Amino acid sequence: MEQSPSSLAAWLPHFFAEWPRRALDTQPAELPTIAVDAQQLSAFFTGIAQPLAALRHGTFTFDPWEVAKLVRNEVRNSAVLAWLLDPYGNHGFSDLPLKALLSAVRECGREDFPENFTRYCRVNVEKYPTGDATNRVDIEIDADNFFMLIEVKIDAYEQKDQILRYISEAKKRRG
């Protein structure tokens, strides 16, 4: 086993022998040249403009459930959810909530749902797709390339065959 030097004077030559080369150079090191693509940089800043604007306006701290005191009211909660899912709503999120919902549906194995609508999308609250009051749907999303019915359940039980009736209606509407 090698013995360590006992004094600083004996230890320093070994220290400087192990010191990284050019560590004590006073000349500035050459930095690598980075080519900046102005079009890509411009596209990047354009892409983050909307999220930055949302941050400035406090969008992410807005809680409509707290403000409106919605608590466990199913109809009022459905109205707020429909508003958030409406890509034309005045919430400032554009189609992001709808795209997130469609992504979640696709992740559950329903690849037949698109990633987004292409031409139009209408979001409605409390619709009667069959024309009678027995089938009141909480949220209906009617887009050019998909049709979706959403049943919101808060402190309520499913009616007899309720979801099966909605599935049947959605299949008819889908064509």
Side-chain angles (χ1 to χ4, degrees), residues 22-29:
R22 299 188 62 186
L24 298 177
D25 287 356
T26 57
Q27 298 294 325

Side-chain angles (χ1 to χ4, degrees), residues 9-111:
W11 181 75
L12 277 177
H14 177 71
F15 173 80
F16 285 113
E18 296 296 320
W19 189 265
R21 294 177 67 211
R22 299 188 62 186
L24 298 177
D25 287 356
T26 57
Q27 298 294 325
E30 284 187 38
L31 297 176
T33 304
I34 299 173
V36 176
D37 183 329
Q39 287 180 326
Q40 283 183 332
L41 187 61
S42 176
F44 169 76
F45 284 120
T46 300
I48 65 168
Q50 185 178 5
L52 287 176
L55 282 173
R56 278 194 301 274
H57 297 294
T59 302
F60 294 115
T61 60
F62 173 67
D63 183 352
W65 282 263
E66 182 181 333
V67 171
K69 309 272 189 258
L70 298 178
V71 289
R72 302 188 62 77
N73 184 307
E74 185 176 299
V75 173
R76 291 169 49 195
N77 274 281
S78 297
V80 173
L81 289 171
W83 170 70
L84 287 170
L85 291 170
D86 186 348
Y88 307 110
N90 62 357
H91 43 66
F93 293 121
S94 185
D95 61 356
L96 291 177
L98 178 62
K99 284 166 65 174
L101 173 64
L102 290 171
S103 175
V105 168
R106 291 172 60 80
E107 286 175 14
C108 289
R110 293 300 309 260
E111 287 83 20

Side-chain angles (χ1 to χ4, degrees), residues 131-157:
D132 61 32
T134 59
N135 289 327
R136 182 187 61 81
V137 175
D138 293 318
I139 301 172
E140 174 190 84
I141 303 175
D142 185 7
D144 59 314
N145 54 349
F146 72 94
F147 181 74
M148 181 184 289
L149 300 174
I150 299 173
E151 179 62 22
V152 177
K153 288 293 183 194
I154 300 175
D155 298 330
Y157 296 102

